[in-house]
Amino acid sequence: LAKTTQPPSMEAYEGQEVNVSCSHTNIATSEYIYWYRQVPHQGPQFIIQGYKDYVVNEVASLFISADRKLSTLSLPWVSLRDAAVYYCIVTDMGGRALIFGTGTTVSVSP
Amino acid sequence: EAAVTQSPRNKVAVTGGKVTLSCNQTNNHNNMYWYRQDTGHGLRLIHYSYGAGSTEKGDIPDGYKASRPSQENFSLILELATPSQTSVYFCASGRTGGASAETLYFGSGTRLTVL
């Protein structure tokens, strides 16, 4: 499984766009990129997944570099509810359990 | 939305005692997982299961047993609890298949304190 590197923390104000980067330089061709987030006192929650290019859903967008070694999760117009730990996970469909690192703690101020 | 329910939400146990953490999912997912979360370590995988009757060791299985008596239920058992097992435990379920790896659905966690 490819190792991922994320910044440990980020800060933002309400209404700003937040971009959380994730480096996965050893990503294999069979692997996908997943993002989860965890708010205090709850389990992680799936946000978005992608393989290449650009993916968007109602919560976030995901940009993946052409060589797939870097991905960026974009959260538009963050609110206080978006304050959470964001995890980037790279894995394939081999059925192995997801491995969570320490993620990126995003703080949002009014 | 997938539903995963853990019980109890909080538990205080004594060293050497037996602790059972329960997890129930109502979405007919094949796979279920137990993770623990400690400050600075993210989530670490303890045991998982691919279906009723099966259990597999994760990355940190020592001191833990697991039981999957049915599709819906997955328990984590600490036969002889120790203070080092004080942590927050999360259960998750997911379904394999499709064009990519499964999406996991997590419960709200059980906070275990071993005195």
Side-chain angles (χ1 to χ4, degrees):
Chain A
L1 299 173
K3 176 180 169 58
T4 61
T5 302
Q6 301 176 237
S9 63
M10 300 183 70
E11 296 180 353
Y13 290 99
E14 280 193 293
Q16 285 185 326
E17 178 182 69
V18 172
N19 296 307
V20 186
S21 64
C22 181
S23 171
H24 26 78
T25 55
N26 295 320
I27 189 169
T29 55
S30 61
E31 292 180 315
Y32 283 70
I33 300 153
Y34 297 80
W35 284 85
Y36 283 73
R37 73 176 171 188
Q38 184 179 22
V39 298
H41 311 300
Q42 292 193 24
Q45 181 180 33
F46 172 78
I47 302 174
I48 197 167
Q49 71 181 60
Y51 184 79
K52 64 178 181 179
D53 299 331
Y54 183 74
V55 182
V56 61
N57 63 20
E58 64 277 6
V59 176
S61 58
L62 176 62
F63 171 77
I64 303 166
S65 64
D67 61 7
R68 302 202 326 120
K69 295 183 177 182
L70 179 69
S71 61
T72 302
L73 175 74
S74 181
L75 306 169
W77 305 101
V78 294
S79 69
L80 297 177
R81 294 177 302 174
D82 294 313
V85 179
Y86 289 80
Y87 298 97
C88 168
I89 301 166
V90 173
T91 189
D92 60 19
M93 50 184 285
R96 284 182 287 272
L98 297 184
I99 305 299
F100 290 78
T102 52
T104 298
T105 300
V106 173
S107 304
V108 181
S109 301
Chain B
E1 180 72 17
V4 179
T5 304
Q6 294 183 231
S7 62
R9 288 299 308 272
N10 294 281
K11 172 74 176 179
V12 178
V14 296
T15 298
K18 181 177 181 179
V19 177
T20 300
L21 307 183
S22 300
C23 179
N24 175 272
Q25 56 101 357
T26 58
N27 299 286
N28 200 33
H29 286 167
N30 301 326
N31 304 335
M32 296 186 75
Y33 306 86
W34 277 106
Y35 291 86
R36 64 177 281 178
Q37 185 170 38
D38 304 289
T39 303
H41 283 94
L43 281 87
R44 293 182 289 175
L45 181 65
I46 306 171
H47 283 288
Y48 58 102
S49 168
Y50 291 131
S54 93
T55 61
E56 307 288 338
K57 294 181 179 180
D59 299 324
I60 53 165
D62 294 344
Y64 302 94
K65 289 173 54 179
S67 174
R68 183 86 181 271
S70 65
Q71 182 82 335
E72 298 78 20
N73 296 295
F74 190 38
S75 297
L76 186 68
I77 304 153
L78 291 67
E79 294 279 4
L80 295 169
T82 68
S84 64
Q85 294 176 311
T86 293
S87 187
V88 180
Y89 292 85
F90 287 99
C91 175
S93 72
R95 189 196 336 256
T96 52
S100 61
E102 62 188 326
T103 297
L104 295 190
Y105 298 87
F106 283 82
S108 297
T110 294
R111 182 174 295 276
L112 173 65
T113 302
V114 182
L115 302 175

